[in-house]
Structures are given as C-alpha cells and as structure tokens.
C-alpha cells in the first residue's frame, strides 16, 4: 500500500541512519498501516452513513407523498419532527464509544490462559457475537500484546467466509475486547471426538475446506504456525472457518522458541517406543478421555507443529501444510502421527519424525476398513515431509489425485457431511457448559495455566497508551455492522468497500 506518489520527495537530503531504521521497524510499519486503515474505515463509514441517510429521507418523502401529505400540514410537521428525532438518535449512537456494557452476556463458551470468550448480543442492534475479553496487564507481562494486535489486524483485513469475521474491537482501562461472529457448530475437535475416524470422502471434504481457509490467510501474507483441529470452527451450515491467529505474526516469542528447543534437546537420547497402530489409537483415545482439553496443554499444539518451527529454524508457508498433513492423518487414522503415551514420548517422536511416521496398518478383519488407500497415504507424505520437498502452495494440493472431484470454486455451496442441529442463533449446545462441574473439570489444566500466569511478576516498565493505538474497530450506528436503524441488511458478499486488502 503506497503512501507517497512516485517521484515525490518526503524529505530533502534523505534520511539519517537512525531515521531509516525507525521507518523500517515493525512497530512503525504497523502503525502506518493502522493509520491508513483508520482513515479508510472512517471515510467508508461516513460515506455509508450519508448514503443510508439519503435513502431514509427518500423513503420518508415517498411515503408522505403517497399519502398526499402537504408539507404545510400539521400531520406532516409531526411526522417530520419524529423523523428528525430518529436521525438524532442515530447520530448520537455513532458518536458513542463502544463499551462492554452495550453487550448482553448470554453464556460463556470459551476459556484460555489469557482470557474468556462469551456468547453475547449487542443491545441496540441485536447482533449475536462471540466476545473475547483479555486483560491488558496480563497480555503485557506475558509478551502477548503483539499476538493480539496481529489477530485484530488479520480479522479486519479481509471479509472472506473462510475466516471468522470481526464485528468490533474496543477497549477500556483494564481490558481489550474482540467481538467476532459467533460460529455455533463448535470446534472441529468436538466433531472428531464424536465421529472418531472419518470416512475418506468426509476427510477429503473437511481437509479441502481447511486448505482453502489457510490459503486465505497466506494470501494476506500471514503464516499460522499453530494449526490444529481446535483452530477450525463449524458454522451453522456445517462448513469450516479458521480462527485464533495469535501466533500468525512475523516472529515467535523468543522465550517460546527456547522452551521448544529445550524440550527437544531433553529427549535427544531417548529411545523410540515401538507401538502398533491399534495400540497408538487406543492410547490416544484414552488420553483424550482423561484430558479433553489436551490441546490447551503444553503437549497439545506441538503434535501438529512443523520441525523447523519447533527448532526455531527459518520456515515458509509450508509449515502450515505440515500441520494440515498431521490433521489429515488424524482424520483417517484416529490419532495424530507423532502422539505418544507421555509428553516425553511425544517429544521423542517429534525429534525422530522420519523414523516414527509410518502408514497405519490394521490386521483384524473388523478393522481393515480403517487402512488408508495408496492415494491417501501419498497425499499425507507430500505434506508431512522435509521442507525442501513438502507441498507449499494450494495449486499443488489441488492437483493431487486424492482431491480429484473437489469443487474448489464452489465448496461452500456443497452440502457438508455434518450439519449442526441448532435450536436458535444463540444455541451453545456444541460448546462446553461453563455452569456444569463435569464440563469444568476439562479445564483443570487451563485453570492451572491461569494460576501460573498470575504468579508471573509484573514488568517494572509500564506499558504506554500507544501500545494499543489502532486497536478499536467498528462504530455504533448504521454502517458495516448495523441493522435495523438504517444500516444495510444485505449479507456481505466480500465485495464491499469494507474489504481493505
């Protein structure tokens, strides 16, 4: 995005070295982009408001003219006064800053180490959303601010149906909030837990949609790096949406990289535990039954992480394809390719992935249907492979025989194998019940993580207000997100002016 016309000079005589370094710093580049986005959003919203105001006035004039009301009649004067009153209400709402009090909390639907997610309804518009609430001080002391800002930037940069849509982003003195579209079918882990091993045609459908979603992220210039089934949500029609972009940034936290390296180094002398396919599947199921929030633990995510990410080495977009290869393996085998009975066993398997990756084999007659076809296994090994030969682009995936028959241009209009049974737009049946002790028992490790986070010493340096510059997104009143007060009720088709990139 160019900010200066070609051939013009910003500063006579050029920049000094320290000025060039400052201009090239990631923080300055982000703030420049945020400033551009702010003005785009400001003028798009202003122009949208003007257009909708003209439409409302035209409807008022047409209605009074149809009823033959004279502009000098008392009835017209009363109705015009009422019309002006409604316009003033809309203007006041546009000027009001977003606050959490403007959302009615319906139920909690998520819990993480740094915050909570609630199903909420915006009071004045009736919009249903998933409201993510995070404490500023916690994000600061855990060096997570950048990840939250990146997530906000990704969500505002596109309107594709493959990524969860951001409705509002706002803040108060203590917290930051992301109000995103509510995806009622739960995450893909829930679907996997209920279905076990997927039929090959169903696995092809879902992994194809996951590739399409990840491709949209790559088109924006981001790499996810932490993909797992929990990152994919199922919408009301049974189709997939990608969420949770916290690590999709330029560089991983050095502390995280170091911790991953240490875990790999600790198991370098460990022997590989040889297990049969049936034993590995049964073991993984038992671990899942004991700890349903397995992916929220330290061991969970690395099951799907590419070796170069774990080792802190240079990497490309292909690391996300490694993760999708691991997910496809789990779809067809019932367990991730490197899962172990203990954390150390898992890390040992990851360290020795070339020796551990084996085609699942079943001997018992009743299990023969779980054996992978040659084409499916070939697809997996094109993805779970050394970086130099691994698939790195969607057109490579599309050309593989395993995906023959997939209608890539019309995937979201294809009927999904599983369509959630929903009672209403606020149905939370596919999420954990946070009022149930049984469901809360699943979050023991998450709660422990929260306790450990709270014990971390606060940083001596206080973060300035400028850290959260550009975070706020969306306005009260008619506009992109507004319905019922003159805003458009037309579903977003991805071609509106609100798509910046």
């Amino acid at each position: 995005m160019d900010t200066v016309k070609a051939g013009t000079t910003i500063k006579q005589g050029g920049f000094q070295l320290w000025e060039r370094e400052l201009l090239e710093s990631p923080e300055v580049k982000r703030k420049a982009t945020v400033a551009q986005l702010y003005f785009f959003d400001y003028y798009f919203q202003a122009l949208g408001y003007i257009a909708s105001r003209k439409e409302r006035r035209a409807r008022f004039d047409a209605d009074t003219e149809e009823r033959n009301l004279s502009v000098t009649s008392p009835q017209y004067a009363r109705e015009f006064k009422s019309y002006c009153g409604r316009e003033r209400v809309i203007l006041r709402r546009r000027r009001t800053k977003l606050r959490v009090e403007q959302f009615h909390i319906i139920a909690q639907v998520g819990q993480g180490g740094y915050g909570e997610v609630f199903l909420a309804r915006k009071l004045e518009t009736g919009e249903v959303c998933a409201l993510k609430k995070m404490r500023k001080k916690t994000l600061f002391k855990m060096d997570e601010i950048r990840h939250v800002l990146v997530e906000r930037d990704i969500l505002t940069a596109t309107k594709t149906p493959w990524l969860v849509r951001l409705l509002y982003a706002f803040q108060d003195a203590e917290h930051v909030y992301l109000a995103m579209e509510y995806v009622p079918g739960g995450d893909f882990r829930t679907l996997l837990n209920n279905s076990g091993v997927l039929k090959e045609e169903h696995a092809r459908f879902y992994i194809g949609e996951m590739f399409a979603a990840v491709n949209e992220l790559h088109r924006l210039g981001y790499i996810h790096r932490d993909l797992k089934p929990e990152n994919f949500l199922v919408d009301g029609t049974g189709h997939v949406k990608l969420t949770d972009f916290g690590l999709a940034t330029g560089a991983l936290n050095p502390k995280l990289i170091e911790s991953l390296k240490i875990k790999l180094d600790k198991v370098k002398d460990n022997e590989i535990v040889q297990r049969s396919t049936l034993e590995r599947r049964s073991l993984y199921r038992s671990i899942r039954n004991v700890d349903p929030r397995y992916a929220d633990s330290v061991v969970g995510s690395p099951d799907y992480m590419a070796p170069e990410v774990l080792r802190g080495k240079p990497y490309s977009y292909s690391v996300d394809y490694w993760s999708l290869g691991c997910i496809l393996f789990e779809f067809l085998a019932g367990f991730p390719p490197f899962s172990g009975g203990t954390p150390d066993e898992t890390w040992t398997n990851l360290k020795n992935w070339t020796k551990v990756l084996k085609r699942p084999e079943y001997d018992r007659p009743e299990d023969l249907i779980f054996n992978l076809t040659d084409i499916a296994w070939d697809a997996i090994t094109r993805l779970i492979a050394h970086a130099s030969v691994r698939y790195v682009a969607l057109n490579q995936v599309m050309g593989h025989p395993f995906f023959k028959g997939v209608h890539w241009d019309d995937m979201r209009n294809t009927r999904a194998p599983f369509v959630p049974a929903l009672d209403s737009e606020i149905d939370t049946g596919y999420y954990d019940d946070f009022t149930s002790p049984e469901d809360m028992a699943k979050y023991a490790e998450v709660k422990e993580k929260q306790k450990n986070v709270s014990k971390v010493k606060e940083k001596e340096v206080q973060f300035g207000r400028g850290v959260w510059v550009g975070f706020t997104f969306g306005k009260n009143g008619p506009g992109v997100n507004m319905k019922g007060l003159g805003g458009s009720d037309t579903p977003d088709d991805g071609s509106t002016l609100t798509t910046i990139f």
Side-chain angles (χ1 to χ4, degrees):
M1 204 183 296
D2 294 326
T3 56
V4 181
K5 291 182 180 178
T8 62
T9 302
I10 302 174
K11 178 181 177 181
Q12 296 295 331
F15 293 103
Q16 296 180 29
L17 179 60
W18 71 268
E19 291 175 317
R20 288 199 299 271
E21 289 177 348
L22 186 63
L23 287 171
E24 290 299 317
S25 69
E27 183 181 0
V28 169
K29 283 185 173 181
R30 180 186 178 273
K31 286 182 177 178
T33 302
V34 164
Q36 292 179 354
L37 291 174
Y38 170 82
F39 285 112
F40 274 128
D41 186 52
Y42 176 87
Y43 286 111
F44 287 157
Q45 295 242 7
L47 291 169
Y49 165 70
I50 292 170
S52 61
R53 180 167 179 163
K54 285 181 177 179
E55 288 176 8
R56 291 192 297 273
R57 179 57 190 264
R59 288 198 298 268
F60 175 82
D61 289 343
D63 177 59
T64 53
E65 186 177 334
E66 186 180 337
R67 291 183 287 131
N68 296 318
L69 286 182
S70 169
V71 295
T72 58
S73 69
Q75 177 69 14
Y76 181 93
R78 286 193 297 271
E79 293 192 16
F80 185 72
K81 183 178 180 181
S82 176
Y83 161 78
C84 291
R86 293 194 298 274
E87 289 297 320
R88 285 194 296 272
V89 169
I90 291 172
L91 272 174
R92 280 197 298 271
R93 285 177 175 171
R94 279 179 56 82
R95 293 168 184 157
T96 304
K97 285 186 177 182
L98 281 165
R99 303 187 310 276
V100 71
E101 292 79 16
Q102 293 173 279
F103 293 82
H104 169 62
I105 304 299
I106 299 170
Q108 186 172 351
V109 292
Q111 178 79 56
Y114 304 131
E116 303 84 32
V117 183
F118 301 93
L119 173 62
R121 189 189 295 276
K122 194 164 187 286
L123 294 173
E124 60 189 33
T125 64
E127 290 169 294
V128 172
C129 66
L131 186 63
K132 194 173 188 177
K133 177 183 178 182
M134 296 161 285
R135 190 167 177 266
K136 286 181 176 178
K137 284 187 177 181
T138 300
L139 296 173
F140 178 63
K141 72 178 181 180
M142 300 304 294
D143 293 322
E144 292 291 334
I145 289 178
R146 186 181 180 192
H147 294 157
V148 175
L149 291 175
V150 165
E151 181 167 20
R152 179 261 181 218
D153 291 349
I154 293 172
L155 289 167
T156 57
T158 183
K159 290 289 184 181
T160 173
W162 293 110
L163 306 184
V164 171
R165 188 162 57 99
L166 181 68
L167 304 176
Y168 305 97
F170 58 100
Q171 58 184 298
D172 56 31
E174 298 290 329
H175 299 91
V176 288
Y177 304 88
L178 292 170
M180 301 168 286
E181 68 171 308
Y182 175 57
V183 186
D187 65 34
F188 210 85
R189 174 59 61 196
T190 303
L191 191 152
L192 273 182
N193 287 346
N194 292 334
S195 60
V197 178
L198 296 182
K199 294 180 180 178
E200 191 167 297
E201 60 266 33
H202 294 171
R204 179 169 31 249
F205 174 87
Y206 287 120
I207 202 67
E209 293 214 329
M210 289 176 180
F211 271 110
V214 170
N215 185 60
E216 289 296 322
L217 188 66
H218 289 178
R219 286 176 60 191
L220 292 172
Y222 291 99
I223 305 171
H224 197 291
R225 299 180 301 185
D226 190 32
L227 289 169
K228 49 188 179 289
E230 288 80 358
N231 295 133
F232 295 94
L233 302 180
V234 181
D235 70 11
T237 61
H239 291 276
V240 163
K241 285 179 181 283
L242 178 60
T243 188
D244 193 4
F245 313 109
L247 288 183
T249 182
L252 283 171
N253 186 324
K255 293 179 183 176
L256 176 58
I257 293 176
E258 192 58 32
S259 70
L260 297 175
K261 286 181 181 177
I262 290 171
K263 287 181 173 66
L264 282 175
D265 288 340
K266 278 177 64 178
V267 299
K268 63 183 179 181
D269 297 324
N270 287 12
E271 293 290 327
I272 298 172
V273 179
Q274 303 294 337
R275 299 184 188 276
S276 69
T277 298
L278 193 60
E279 184 183 5
R280 291 190 67 192
R281 194 176 80 177
S282 301
L283 186 63
Y284 184 70
R285 282 182 177 176
S286 66
I287 291 172
R288 276 283 171 192
N289 289 334
V290 172
D291 184 9
R293 304 303 304 179
Y294 175 73
D296 292 320
S297 69
V298 176
V299 184
S301 296
D303 270 336
Y304 310 90
M305 269 189 177
E308 55 266 43
V309 175
L310 293 172
R311 294 190 174 106
K313 303 290 185 183
Y315 55 85
S316 68
Y317 292 107
S318 75
V319 299
D320 285 342
Y321 282 27
W322 168 287
S323 301
L324 290 171
C326 293
I327 292 172
L328 176 58
F329 184 103
E330 184 174 354
F331 283 177
L332 297 170
F335 59 92
F338 308 112
S339 63
T342 64
D344 274 359
E345 186 181 335
T346 299
W347 284 102
T348 301
N349 291 343
L350 290 165
K351 179 80 174 177
N352 302 280
W353 72 267
T354 55
K355 299 176 183 177
V356 174
L357 181 63
K358 293 180 181 177
R359 183 171 177 169
E361 293 182 358
Y362 293 96
D363 301 323
R364 297 189 314 191
E366 63 268 30
D367 292 328
L368 292 178
I369 58 170
F370 296 123
N371 283 323
L372 275 64
T373 62
D374 291 342
I375 290 177
W377 179 242
D378 185 74
I380 288 171
T381 55
R382 303 281 181 168
L383 299 165
I384 308 177
H386 191 273
S388 61
V389 295
R390 188 187 309 149
Y391 278 1
V392 69
L394 184 61
N395 61 346
Q396 293 175 293
V397 175
M398 293 166 68
H400 194 280
F402 179 75
F403 292 97
K404 184 180 179 181
V406 174
H407 302 289
W408 293 94
D409 295 330
D410 198 36
M411 294 180 78
R412 296 196 76 87
N413 290 322
T414 304
R415 181 171 175 81
F418 161 75
V419 179
L422 302 169
D423 293 332
S424 69
E425 64 178 347
I426 59 171
D427 192 323
T428 59
Y430 291 95
Y431 289 91
D432 289 325
D433 180 359
F434 282 76
T435 64
S436 162
E438 183 180 346
D439 279 2
M440 283 301 88
K442 303 175 187 178
Y443 289 82
E445 193 152 358
V446 177
K447 293 288 186 183
E448 187 64 30
K449 181 180 178 181
Q450 286 181 323
K451 289 180 182 177
N452 293 335
V453 167
S454 65
K455 291 176 184 176
V456 174
K457 185 180 178 182
E458 298 282 351
K459 290 186 177 181
E460 294 181 7
V461 180
Q462 295 296 312
F463 66 88
R465 291 179 61 189
V467 171
W468 297 102
V469 164
F471 182 79
T472 301
F473 172 80
K475 277 183 173 290
N476 286 311
V480 179
N481 305 317
M482 188 71 171
K483 294 182 180 180
L485 282 169
S488 172
D489 288 320
T490 306
D492 182 13
D493 62 0
S495 62
T496 64
L497 289 174
T498 52
T499 301
I500 304 300
F501 296 128

Coordinates of all heavy atoms in Angstrom, one line a residue, residues 53 56 179 210 220-221 249-250 272 302 369 415 444:
R53 N -28.5 7.7 5.0 CA -29.4 8.8 5.5 C -30.2 9.4 4.3 O -31.4 9.7 4.5 CB -28.5 9.9 6.0 CG -29.3 11.1 6.5 CD -28.5 12.1 7.4 NE -29.3 13.2 7.8 CZ -28.9 14.0 8.8 NH1 -27.8 13.8 9.4 NH2 -29.7 15.1 9.1
R56 N -33.1 7.0 3.7 CA -34.1 7.1 4.7 C -35.0 8.4 4.4 O -36.2 8.3 4.5 CB -33.5 7.2 6.1 CG -32.9 5.9 6.6 CD -32.6 6.0 8.1 NE -31.6 7.0 8.5 CZ -30.3 6.8 8.4 NH1 -29.8 5.6 8.1 NH2 -29.5 7.8 8.8
A179 N -15.0 -8.6 19.4 CA -16.4 -9.1 19.1 C -16.4 -9.7 17.7 O -16.4 -9.0 16.7 CB -17.4 -8.0 19.3
M210 N -10.2 -26.8 4.9 CA -9.2 -26.3 5.8 C -8.0 -25.7 4.9 O -7.5 -24.6 5.3 CB -8.7 -27.4 6.7 CG -9.6 -27.8 7.8 SD -9.1 -29.1 8.8 CE -10.4 -29.3 10.0
L220 N -3.0 -13.1 2.7 CA -2.8 -11.9 3.4 C -1.3 -11.7 3.9 O -1.0 -10.7 4.4 CB -3.7 -11.9 4.7 CG -5.2 -11.8 4.4 CD1 -6.0 -12.0 5.7 CD2 -5.6 -10.4 3.8
G221 N -0.5 -12.7 3.6 CA 0.9 -12.6 4.0 C 1.2 -13.2 5.3 O 2.3 -13.0 5.8
T249 N 2.3 -14.2 13.3 CA 3.0 -12.9 13.2 C 4.4 -13.1 12.7 O 4.7 -14.2 12.3 CB 3.0 -12.3 14.6 OG1 3.7 -11.1 14.6 CG2 3.8 -13.2 15.6
G250 N 5.1 -12.1 12.6 CA 6.5 -12.2 12.0 C 7.4 -13.1 12.7 O 8.3 -13.7 12.1
I272 N 13.0 -44.6 20.9 CA 11.6 -44.5 20.3 C 10.8 -45.7 20.9 O 11.3 -46.9 20.8 CB 11.7 -44.6 18.8 CG1 12.4 -43.3 18.3 CG2 10.3 -44.6 18.2 CD1 12.7 -43.4 16.8
P302 N 2.3 -28.9 19.8 CA 3.4 -29.5 19.1 C 3.1 -30.7 18.3 O 3.9 -31.1 17.4 CB 4.4 -29.7 20.2 CG 4.1 -28.7 21.2 CD 2.6 -28.6 21.2
I369 N -11.2 -51.8 7.3 CA -11.8 -50.6 6.7 C -11.0 -49.3 7.1 O -11.2 -48.3 6.4 CB -13.3 -50.4 7.0 CG1 -13.5 -50.3 8.6 CG2 -14.1 -51.6 6.5 CD1 -14.9 -49.9 9.0
R415 N -23.1 -29.5 0.1 CA -23.7 -29.9 1.4 C -22.6 -30.6 2.2 O -21.9 -31.5 1.7 CB -24.9 -30.8 1.2 CG -25.5 -31.2 2.5 CD -26.8 -31.9 2.4 NE -27.3 -32.4 3.7 CZ -27.9 -31.6 4.6 NH1 -28.2 -30.3 4.3 NH2 -28.4 -32.1 5.7
A444 N -9.2 -28.1 34.0 CA -8.3 -28.1 35.1 C -6.9 -27.5 34.7 O -6.3 -26.7 35.4 CB -8.1 -29.4 35.7

